[in-house]
């Protein structure tokens, strides 16, 4: 790419010609890699017709050559990933290793060697979106990463191609199956967080170390990718405001239910004008109250769903399996077919477009609604004291609910749309108010 994210003008790729084989280097043979290899073998005849030439696996790079792998011919296995990438008979490199630093070296080496790349690595793409895009442009090769966002759900392709002529206003959705499984179970069974995390681990939805999922890191990487594509602006995981679900309690779930909401971990990417009139973008991941009438409220178990709102197309929803070996491999294989077609027939897929290069909004400038749950003294005048604090910061209250305790009252306030910075100031002031015994939770609300 040239300055300001404008693509350079690489020479046209004429292609290898109808019937030519396309060499594949597979980096990684874990859950996803094994499924990719299986599907390439199982669908080989159909894929050849779709591509115009056969796919030929030239090698499978693994870290542990001693591990027994029945599904991989011994002559394909190698622990020299760089050597495999640089073979003359390799046209496409498929990276399904995971992590950032080592895969980055491999992917950049592949792109610089003139190999197209297909990756399912969300953390890598989110951390090095611009760098990888620049490298693919400079070498006139493809970089595909459909599986990096929501496994089998096709959303990257539609954003890059089908909606390329539209103007995206927002992208919002459930992009992590583990957290959705946990929150859905807490809502439907009354279980607490620890019980549902244990169940998610038992069923294989949660890793032995679930931090990336439950603390929102996984969703933040996906939000960064979605925002980068949708708004033609490089957005990195470090730009995404991130909160996890570990502090969501059964009491929060019950309060949400009583008010007609369900709690979901949402990734929200939006374009808006700040108070100076400047167009900016923001991406955030946090627990969110969603009305039970909203389609996202019915997304259960480990499923994902993503809403896209565009000026001309209106609202679109993408729904399906957002995790798992086979669903992720399906998206990877779709990308392989696209890259292989271009190798056979010539041309390139759409590259990264970051021409807009919009500023990233400070999280404090973001507007949304809030559900504030607090424990207060049960006496006359407390509500007036609290309401005055909200008013002093320009925040109006939409609803107020009160529940009596033995020696205190529980107040649940829902605000109209307010600025994040103002709400933070309100919460700090409430904590200093003598009548407030404690702020139980502050959860954002989207409708």
């Amino acid at each position: 790419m040239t300055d300001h994210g404008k693509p350079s003008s690489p020479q046209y790729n004429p292609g290898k010609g109808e019937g030519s084989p396309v060499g594949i280097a597979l980096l990684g043979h874990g859950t996803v890699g094994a499924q990719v290899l299986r599907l390439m073998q199982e669908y080989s005849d159909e894929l050849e017709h779709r591509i115009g030439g056969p796919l030929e696996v030239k090698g499978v790079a693994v870290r542990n050559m001693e591990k027994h792998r029945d599904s991989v011919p011994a002559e394909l296995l190698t622990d020299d990933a760089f050597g495999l990438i640089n073979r003359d008979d390799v046209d496409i490199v498929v990276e399904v290793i995971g992590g950032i630093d080592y895969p980055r070296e491999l992917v950049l080496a592949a792109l610089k060697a003139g190999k197209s790349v297909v990756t399912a690595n969300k953390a890598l793409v989110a951390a090095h979106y611009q760098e990888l895009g620049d490298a693919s442009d400079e070498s006139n090769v493809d970089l595909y990463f459909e599986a990096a966002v929501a496994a089998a759900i096709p959303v990257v392709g539609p954003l890059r191609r089908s909606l390329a002529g539209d103007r995206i206003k927002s992208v919002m959705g459930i992009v992590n199956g583990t957290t959705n499984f946990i929150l859905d179970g807490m809502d439907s069974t009354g279980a607490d967080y620890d019980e549902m995390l244990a169940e998610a681990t038992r069923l294989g939805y949660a890793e032995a170390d679930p931090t990336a999922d439950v603390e929102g890191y996984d969703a933040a990487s996906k939000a960064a990718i979605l925002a980068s594509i949708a708004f033609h602006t490089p957005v990195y995981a470090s730009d995404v405001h991130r909160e996890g679900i570990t502090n969501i309690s059964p009491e929060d779930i019950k309060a949400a239910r009583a008010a007609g909401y369900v709690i979901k971990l949402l990734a929200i990417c939006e374009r808006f004008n700040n108070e100076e009139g400047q167009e900016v973008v923001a991406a955030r991941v946090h627990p969110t109250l969603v009305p039970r009438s909203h389609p996202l409220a019915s997304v259960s178990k480990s499923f994902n769903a993503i809403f896209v709102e565009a000026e001309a197309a209106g609202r679109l929803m993408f729904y399906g399996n957002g995790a798992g070996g086979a669903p992720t491999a399906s998206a990877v294989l779709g990308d392989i077919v696209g890259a292989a077609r271009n190798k056979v027939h010539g041309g390139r897929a759409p590259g990264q477009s970051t021409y807009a290069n919009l500023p990233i909004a400070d999280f404090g400038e973001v507007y949304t609604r809030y559900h504030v749950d607090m424990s207060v003294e049960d006496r006359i005048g407390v509500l007036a004291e609290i309401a005055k604090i909200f008013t002093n910061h320009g925040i109006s209250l939409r609803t107020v609910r009160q529940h009596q305790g033995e020696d205190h009252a529980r107040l649940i306030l829902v605000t109209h749309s307010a600025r994040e910075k103002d709400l933070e100031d309100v919460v700090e002031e409430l904590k200093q108010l003598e009548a407030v015994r404690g702020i139980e939770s502050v959860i954002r609300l989207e409708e």
Side-chain angles (χ1 to χ4, degrees):
M1 287 189 180
T2 59
D3 291 341
H4 308 297
K6 294 181 180 179
S8 54
S9 300
Q11 293 183 348
Y12 175 71
N13 172 18
K16 301 176 70 173
E18 186 78 22
S20 298
V22 180
I24 306 294
L26 180 61
L27 310 185
H29 191 261
T31 301
V32 176
Q35 291 294 329
V36 169
L37 188 60
R38 178 185 69 81
L39 292 176
M40 279 197 290
Q41 294 167 339
E42 188 175 325
Y43 301 159
S44 59
D45 290 342
E46 295 175 64
L47 295 176
E48 181 174 351
H49 286 295
R50 296 172 193 173
I51 292 166
L55 293 177
E56 295 183 355
V57 178
K58 300 300 182 180
V60 179
V62 296
R63 293 190 181 186
N64 181 8
M65 291 285 288
E66 303 302 318
K67 184 177 179 180
H68 185 64
R69 296 176 173 86
D70 283 334
S71 60
V72 187
E75 64 271 17
L76 290 181
L77 289 172
T78 178
D79 57 5
D80 182 7
F82 287 100
L84 177 61
I85 286 170
N86 287 305
R87 282 176 48 169
D88 292 338
D89 57 353
V90 167
D91 300 296
I92 299 171
V93 173
V94 181
E95 186 273 309
V96 287
I97 300 172
I100 297 179
D101 294 337
Y102 179 56
R104 170 182 169 272
E105 293 178 18
L106 293 171
V107 168
L108 285 176
L111 294 171
K112 290 174 182 178
K115 321 291 181 170
S116 290
V117 169
V118 173
T119 179
N121 192 332
K122 54 191 166 283
L124 171 64
V125 177
H128 297 286
Y129 182 82
Q130 186 79 58
E131 181 183 30
L132 299 179
D134 288 346
S136 66
D137 282 344
E138 289 166 7
S139 295
N140 193 28
V141 292
D142 289 329
L143 172 64
Y144 282 92
F145 48 88
E146 182 67 67
V149 173
I153 302 174
V155 64
V156 171
L159 286 173
R160 293 175 79 178
R161 294 187 293 275
S162 305
L163 294 169
D166 211 333
R167 181 179 171 86
I168 308 297
K169 297 166 65 178
S170 66
V171 182
M172 176 180 76
I174 298 164
V175 296
N176 182 271
T178 302
T179 52
N180 199 58
F181 178 85
I182 292 171
L183 292 172
D184 180 58
M186 291 176 70
D187 179 70
S188 60
T189 70
D192 63 23
Y193 168 81
D194 289 333
E195 290 172 317
M196 287 311 305
L197 175 59
E199 180 67 2
T201 304
R202 185 184 72 80
L203 294 173
Y205 294 132
E207 301 288 344
D209 179 0
T211 303
D213 290 325
V214 300
E215 294 292 357
Y217 291 100
D218 174 85
S221 291
K222 295 171 181 177
I225 296 170
L226 290 170
S228 297
I229 301 169
F231 307 133
H232 305 281
T233 294
V235 179
Y236 300 99
S238 57
D239 296 321
V240 181
H241 175 83
R242 176 196 53 78
E243 296 176 26
I245 66 167
T246 54
N247 291 326
I248 298 298
S249 67
E251 288 71 27
D252 294 327
I253 299 290
K254 291 174 185 175
R257 177 179 286 277
Y261 296 96
V262 62
I263 298 177
K264 299 289 187 182
L265 183 74
L266 294 190
I268 302 169
C269 313
E270 54 197 338
R271 179 206 306 254
F272 62 94
N273 289 332
N274 63 18
E275 293 189 345
E276 287 73 43
Q278 182 183 33
E279 190 173 39
V280 295
V281 301
R284 49 196 166 102
V285 168
H286 49 66
T288 310
L289 288 162
V290 178
R292 288 187 177 270
S293 58
H294 194 286
L296 285 177
S298 63
V299 178
S300 62
K301 299 183 179 178
S302 62
F303 281 80
N304 286 189
I306 300 170
F307 267 91
V308 177
E309 184 173 2
E311 289 188 359
R315 294 175 181 171
L316 308 170
M317 180 175 174
F318 302 84
Y319 171 85
N321 275 316
T328 304
S330 171
V332 170
L333 199 58
D335 282 349
I336 292 173
V337 169
R341 279 179 184 155
N342 292 337
K343 289 293 183 182
V344 170
H345 300 290
R348 267 187 80 200
Q352 264 76 302
S353 168
T354 56
Y355 73 91
N357 200 27
L358 297 171
I360 307 299
D362 182 87
F363 183 61
E365 300 303 311
V366 170
Y367 278 77
T368 188
R369 294 173 177 172
Y370 302 88
H371 179 279
V372 184
D373 186 348
M374 67 186 81
S375 176
V376 301
E377 292 181 359
D378 187 10
R379 61 173 174 78
I380 295 173
V382 169
L383 179 57
E385 293 177 41
I386 291 170
K388 183 178 179 181
I389 292 175
F390 280 88
T391 301
N392 289 343
H393 289 275
I395 301 176
S396 61
L397 298 179
R398 181 181 177 187
T399 62
V400 178
R401 302 201 325 274
Q402 180 171 326
H403 302 281
Q404 295 300 126
E406 292 183 4
D407 61 346
H408 67 282
R410 186 175 179 185
L411 277 182
I412 299 175
L413 313 176
V414 176
T415 75
H416 286 286
S417 183
R419 192 172 61 165
E420 182 72 27
K421 180 181 183 303
D422 295 329
L423 195 281
E424 290 175 1
D425 291 342
V426 165
V427 170
E428 288 305 309
E429 208 166 317
L430 288 173
K431 289 178 180 178
Q432 306 305 316
L433 196 64
E434 186 177 344
V436 175
R437 294 189 175 185
I439 307 292
E440 306 301 330
S441 65
V442 177
I443 304 177
R444 294 165 189 88
L445 187 156
E446 294 286 338
E447 294 185 316

